[in-house]
Short mmCIF file of all heavy atoms in Angstrom, two decimals:
data_model
loop_
_atom_site.label_atom_id
_atom_site.label_comp_id
_atom_site.label_asym_id
_atom_site.label_seq_id
_atom_site.Cartn_x
_atom_site.Cartn_y
_atom_site.Cartn_z
N ALA U 1 0.80 -1.17 -0.02
CA ALA U 1 -0.08 -0.06 0.08
C ALA U 1 0.89 1.27 0.01
O ALA U 1 0.53 2.22 -0.80
CB ALA U 1 -1.00 0.01 1.17
N LEU U 2 1.89 1.25 0.73
CA LEU U 2 2.88 2.36 0.74
C LEU U 2 3.48 2.62 -0.50
O LEU U 2 3.62 3.65 -1.07
CB LEU U 2 3.94 2.06 1.94
CG LEU U 2 4.85 3.30 2.32
CD1 LEU U 2 3.99 4.37 2.91
CD2 LEU U 2 5.83 2.86 3.28
N LYS U 3 3.92 1.53 -1.16
CA LYS U 3 4.63 1.66 -2.53
C LYS U 3 3.74 2.07 -3.54
O LYS U 3 4.08 2.84 -4.56
CB LYS U 3 5.23 0.26 -2.92
CG LYS U 3 6.34 0.34 -3.99
CD LYS U 3 7.10 -0.97 -4.22
CE LYS U 3 8.08 -0.84 -5.26
NZ LYS U 3 9.24 0.08 -4.89
N MET U 4 2.39 1.81 -3.46
CA MET U 4 1.26 2.13 -4.41
C MET U 4 0.83 3.56 -4.12
O MET U 4 0.12 4.11 -4.93
CB MET U 4 0.15 1.17 -4.29
CG MET U 4 0.43 -0.24 -4.75
SD MET U 4 -0.85 -1.35 -4.60
CE MET U 4 -1.78 -0.97 -6.17
N GLY U 5 1.31 4.18 -3.13
CA GLY U 5 0.95 5.54 -2.73
C GLY U 5 -0.46 5.68 -2.17
O GLY U 5 -1.13 6.78 -2.13
N LEU U 6 -1.13 4.51 -1.71
CA LEU U 6 -2.41 4.51 -1.12
C LEU U 6 -2.38 5.05 0.36
O LEU U 6 -3.31 5.49 0.82
CB LEU U 6 -3.00 3.08 -1.14
CG LEU U 6 -3.14 2.49 -2.58
CD1 LEU U 6 -3.63 1.04 -2.38
CD2 LEU U 6 -4.18 3.30 -3.29
N ILE U 7 -1.23 4.95 1.05
CA ILE U 7 -1.05 5.38 2.37
C ILE U 7 0.28 6.18 2.33
O ILE U 7 1.19 5.99 1.56
CB ILE U 7 -1.08 4.32 3.44
CG1 ILE U 7 0.02 3.25 3.15
CG2 ILE U 7 -2.44 3.60 3.49
CD1 ILE U 7 0.19 2.18 4.24
N ALA U 8 0.35 7.14 3.35
CA ALA U 8 1.64 7.93 3.41
C ALA U 8 2.55 7.37 4.49
O ALA U 8 3.78 7.62 4.53
CB ALA U 8 1.28 9.34 3.75
N ASP U 9 1.98 6.61 5.31
CA ASP U 9 2.76 5.99 6.45
C ASP U 9 2.27 4.62 6.70
O ASP U 9 1.09 4.30 6.68
CB ASP U 9 2.65 6.86 7.72
CG ASP U 9 3.58 6.41 8.87
OD1 ASP U 9 4.72 6.86 8.87
OD2 ASP U 9 3.11 5.56 9.69
N ILE U 10 3.15 3.67 7.09
CA ILE U 10 2.95 2.25 7.28
C ILE U 10 1.80 2.08 8.29
O ILE U 10 1.05 1.15 8.28
CB ILE U 10 4.20 1.47 7.56
CG1 ILE U 10 4.00 0.03 7.13
CG2 ILE U 10 4.49 1.63 8.94
CD1 ILE U 10 3.94 -0.18 5.81
N SER U 11 1.80 2.96 9.23
CA SER U 11 0.72 2.80 10.37
C SER U 11 -0.76 3.03 9.90
O SER U 11 -1.60 2.58 10.53
CB SER U 11 1.09 3.90 11.42
OG SER U 11 0.85 5.28 10.92
N GLU U 12 -0.91 3.68 8.65
CA GLU U 12 -2.23 3.91 8.20
C GLU U 12 -2.87 2.74 7.61
O GLU U 12 -4.13 2.63 7.38
CB GLU U 12 -2.17 4.98 7.13
CG GLU U 12 -1.73 6.31 7.56
CD GLU U 12 -1.44 7.29 6.41
OE1 GLU U 12 -2.01 7.06 5.22
OE2 GLU U 12 -0.77 8.28 6.56
N ALA U 13 -2.12 1.69 7.37
CA ALA U 13 -2.73 0.42 6.77
C ALA U 13 -3.74 -0.25 7.68
O ALA U 13 -4.75 -0.83 7.14
CB ALA U 13 -1.59 -0.55 6.52
N ALA U 14 -3.60 -0.14 8.98
CA ALA U 14 -4.53 -0.87 9.93
C ALA U 14 -5.97 -0.38 9.72
O ALA U 14 -6.92 -0.95 9.90
CB ALA U 14 -3.99 -0.68 11.34
N ALA U 15 -6.10 0.94 9.38
CA ALA U 15 -7.37 1.60 9.22
C ALA U 15 -7.90 1.53 7.71
O ALA U 15 -8.91 2.14 7.47
CB ALA U 15 -7.26 3.07 9.77
N ARG U 16 -7.26 0.83 6.92
CA ARG U 16 -7.59 0.66 5.54
C ARG U 16 -7.54 -0.82 5.21
O ARG U 16 -6.71 -1.28 4.39
CB ARG U 16 -6.60 1.55 4.74
CG ARG U 16 -7.11 1.72 3.24
CD ARG U 16 -6.00 2.30 2.39
NE ARG U 16 -6.40 2.29 1.03
CZ ARG U 16 -6.78 3.29 0.27
NH1 ARG U 16 -6.69 4.49 0.86
NH2 ARG U 16 -7.17 3.11 -1.00
N GLN U 17 -8.35 -1.53 5.73
CA GLN U 17 -8.39 -2.93 5.56
C GLN U 17 -8.86 -3.58 4.29
O GLN U 17 -8.59 -4.61 3.76
CB GLN U 17 -9.14 -3.62 6.74
CG GLN U 17 -8.43 -3.52 8.00
CD GLN U 17 -7.12 -4.49 8.15
OE1 GLN U 17 -7.18 -5.58 7.91
NE2 GLN U 17 -6.12 -3.89 8.45
N HIS U 18 -9.76 -2.77 3.69
CA HIS U 18 -10.41 -3.33 2.50
C HIS U 18 -9.53 -3.17 1.25
O HIS U 18 -9.53 -3.90 0.29
CB HIS U 18 -11.71 -2.42 2.19
CG HIS U 18 -12.54 -2.86 1.05
ND1 HIS U 18 -12.87 -4.32 0.86
CD2 HIS U 18 -13.06 -2.28 -0.10
CE1 HIS U 18 -13.65 -4.45 -0.13
NE2 HIS U 18 -13.79 -3.20 -0.80
N THR U 19 -8.66 -2.16 1.29
CA THR U 19 -7.71 -1.99 0.09
C THR U 19 -6.32 -1.58 0.58
O THR U 19 -6.20 -1.01 1.67
CB THR U 19 -8.14 -0.86 -0.86
OG1 THR U 19 -8.28 0.37 -0.08
CG2 THR U 19 -9.49 -1.23 -1.46
N PRO U 20 -5.23 -2.09 -0.13
CA PRO U 20 -5.31 -2.88 -1.26
C PRO U 20 -5.50 -4.42 -0.96
O PRO U 20 -5.37 -4.86 0.17
CB PRO U 20 -3.89 -2.78 -1.91
CG PRO U 20 -3.00 -2.44 -0.75
CD PRO U 20 -3.93 -1.68 0.22
N LYS U 21 -5.70 -5.17 -1.93
CA LYS U 21 -5.80 -6.70 -1.71
C LYS U 21 -4.42 -7.32 -2.00
O LYS U 21 -3.56 -6.76 -2.72
CB LYS U 21 -6.75 -7.32 -2.67
CG LYS U 21 -8.25 -6.79 -2.69
CD LYS U 21 -8.82 -6.96 -1.17
CE LYS U 21 -10.23 -6.58 -1.25
NZ LYS U 21 -10.79 -6.58 0.17
N VAL U 22 -4.17 -8.52 -1.42
CA VAL U 22 -3.05 -9.19 -1.74
C VAL U 22 -3.45 -10.49 -2.40
O VAL U 22 -4.43 -11.28 -1.95
CB VAL U 22 -2.21 -9.63 -0.45
CG1 VAL U 22 -0.92 -10.42 -0.79
CG2 VAL U 22 -1.80 -8.26 0.34
N ALA U 23 -2.80 -10.92 -3.45
CA ALA U 23 -3.08 -12.14 -4.13
C ALA U 23 -1.82 -12.89 -4.54
O ALA U 23 -0.86 -12.19 -4.78
CB ALA U 23 -4.06 -11.90 -5.35
N PHE U 24 -1.84 -14.16 -4.75
CA PHE U 24 -0.66 -14.82 -5.26
C PHE U 24 -1.15 -15.78 -6.39
O PHE U 24 -2.17 -16.42 -6.34
CB PHE U 24 0.14 -15.58 -4.23
CG PHE U 24 -0.57 -16.50 -3.30
CD1 PHE U 24 -0.55 -17.83 -3.53
CD2 PHE U 24 -1.21 -16.14 -2.06
CE1 PHE U 24 -1.25 -18.75 -2.70
CE2 PHE U 24 -1.86 -16.87 -1.30
CZ PHE U 24 -1.89 -18.28 -1.51
N VAL U 25 -0.25 -15.85 -7.31
CA VAL U 25 -0.42 -16.61 -8.62
C VAL U 25 0.48 -17.79 -8.88
O VAL U 25 1.64 -17.73 -8.34
CB VAL U 25 -0.46 -15.69 -9.85
CG1 VAL U 25 -1.52 -14.64 -9.63
CG2 VAL U 25 0.91 -15.05 -10.01
N ALA U 26 -0.08 -18.74 -9.63
CA ALA U 26 0.85 -19.86 -9.96
C ALA U 26 0.43 -20.45 -11.40
O ALA U 26 -0.79 -20.18 -11.72
CB ALA U 26 0.78 -20.95 -8.89
N ALA U 27 1.25 -21.13 -12.04
CA ALA U 27 0.78 -21.82 -13.26
C ALA U 27 -0.17 -22.96 -12.97
O ALA U 27 -0.32 -23.38 -11.77
CB ALA U 27 2.05 -22.47 -13.96
N PRO U 28 -0.95 -23.34 -13.99
CA PRO U 28 -1.97 -24.38 -13.73
C PRO U 28 -1.41 -25.70 -13.14
O PRO U 28 -0.34 -26.20 -13.45
CB PRO U 28 -2.53 -24.62 -15.09
CG PRO U 28 -2.20 -23.40 -15.84
CD PRO U 28 -0.98 -22.91 -15.26
N GLN U 29 -2.18 -26.27 -12.24
CA GLN U 29 -1.90 -27.67 -11.71
C GLN U 29 -3.20 -28.20 -11.20
O GLN U 29 -4.23 -27.44 -10.90
CB GLN U 29 -0.79 -27.67 -10.66
CG GLN U 29 -1.03 -26.76 -9.52
CD GLN U 29 0.20 -26.86 -8.63
OE1 GLN U 29 0.53 -27.93 -8.07
NE2 GLN U 29 0.84 -25.71 -8.37
N ASP U 30 -3.27 -29.54 -11.10
CA ASP U 30 -4.54 -30.22 -10.58
C ASP U 30 -4.66 -29.89 -9.01
O ASP U 30 -3.72 -29.87 -8.33
CB ASP U 30 -4.41 -31.65 -10.75
CG ASP U 30 -4.37 -32.03 -12.25
OD1 ASP U 30 -4.68 -31.29 -13.07
OD2 ASP U 30 -4.01 -33.28 -12.48
N TYR U 31 -5.92 -29.72 -8.64
CA TYR U 31 -6.09 -29.56 -7.20
C TYR U 31 -7.58 -29.99 -6.99
O TYR U 31 -8.39 -30.06 -7.91
CB TYR U 31 -5.79 -28.20 -6.62
CG TYR U 31 -6.65 -27.17 -7.08
CD1 TYR U 31 -7.72 -26.67 -6.35
CD2 TYR U 31 -6.48 -26.43 -8.35
CE1 TYR U 31 -8.55 -25.53 -6.72
CE2 TYR U 31 -7.21 -25.42 -8.65
CZ TYR U 31 -8.29 -24.95 -7.91
OH TYR U 31 -9.06 -23.92 -8.31
N VAL U 32 -7.90 -30.10 -5.69
CA VAL U 32 -9.41 -30.36 -5.40
C VAL U 32 -9.91 -29.14 -4.66
O VAL U 32 -9.39 -28.65 -3.66
CB VAL U 32 -9.42 -31.59 -4.39
CG1 VAL U 32 -10.92 -31.82 -4.03
CG2 VAL U 32 -8.93 -32.85 -5.22
N SER U 33 -11.05 -28.63 -5.14
CA SER U 33 -11.66 -27.38 -4.55
C SER U 33 -12.31 -27.68 -3.24
O SER U 33 -12.37 -28.81 -2.93
CB SER U 33 -12.66 -26.89 -5.54
OG SER U 33 -13.81 -27.68 -5.57
N SER U 34 -12.77 -26.55 -2.57
CA SER U 34 -13.29 -26.71 -1.18
C SER U 34 -14.49 -27.60 -1.19
O SER U 34 -14.83 -28.10 -0.11
CB SER U 34 -13.52 -25.37 -0.57
OG SER U 34 -14.28 -24.67 -1.50
N SER U 35 -15.17 -27.67 -2.32
CA SER U 35 -16.45 -28.48 -2.35
C SER U 35 -16.15 -29.98 -2.66
O SER U 35 -17.07 -30.75 -2.63
CB SER U 35 -17.40 -27.95 -3.43
OG SER U 35 -16.80 -28.14 -4.77
N GLY U 36 -14.94 -30.23 -2.91
CA GLY U 36 -14.57 -31.72 -3.27
C GLY U 36 -14.51 -31.90 -4.81
O GLY U 36 -14.16 -32.98 -5.18
#
């Protein structure tokens, strides 16, 4: 959030929980979803 300019100080992140989001990506592989 700090690097994106969404907050001016790291302490401000606690009051801004909705944004930004964090996500992680990977190439396709087989898995079983939460419903089975």
Side-chain angles (χ1 to χ4, degrees):
L2 190 64
K3 195 171 183 72
M4 295 178 82
L6 298 172
I7 58 175
D9 185 87
I10 204 72
S11 63
E12 297 172 21
R16 190 189 172 109
Q17 288 290 302
H18 185 54
T19 58
K21 303 300 187 190
V22 178
F24 52 96
V25 299
Q29 55 183 299
D30 297 344
Y31 69 98
V32 177
S33 72
S34 55
S35 67

